[in-house]
Amino acid sequence: TGYRGRHPVQEIFVMDAQARDMLLEGAIPAQIREAQIAAGTFQTLWIDGYRLVANGKTTFEALEEKLDVEEAM
């Protein structure tokens, strides 16, 4: 029962220099997110979920059930 045995799928935004500069220049959140993903400084829910699948902590089916499939496209 409870949370024992469960593994979080998480997405964390860290305000780095690139994100700060983009924000000050008027970039919208989606632009900042895409730039950070391209730079490898941001891990999406799907990327974290794939890591859990690869490590045998969950299944792809369970991941699909909890996350928006359209977001992964």
Side-chain angles (χ1 to χ4, degrees):
T1 64
Y3 296 105
R4 184 172 298 210
R6 294 182 183 224
H7 300 279
V9 178
Q10 46 200 353
E11 182 172 84
I12 299 173
F13 174 80
V14 177
M15 181 64 79
D16 62 5
Q18 178 189 19
R20 183 187 68 240
D21 292 344
M22 289 181 74
L23 184 64
L24 292 173
E25 292 169 4
I28 62 172
Q31 292 170 317
I32 297 170
R33 183 176 191 261
E34 290 302 317
Q36 286 198 313
I37 290 169
T41 58
F42 183 77
Q43 181 172 295
T44 66
L45 290 172
W46 277 99
I47 292 171
D48 191 45
Y50 291 145
R51 178 188 57 82
L52 292 171
V53 171
N55 290 332
K57 303 290 183 184
T58 191
T59 64
F60 185 74
E61 292 75 24
L63 193 62
E64 280 185 314
E65 183 180 312
K66 299 299 179 191
L67 299 181
D68 182 8
V69 175
E70 293 297 318
E71 184 180 311
M73 303 302 163

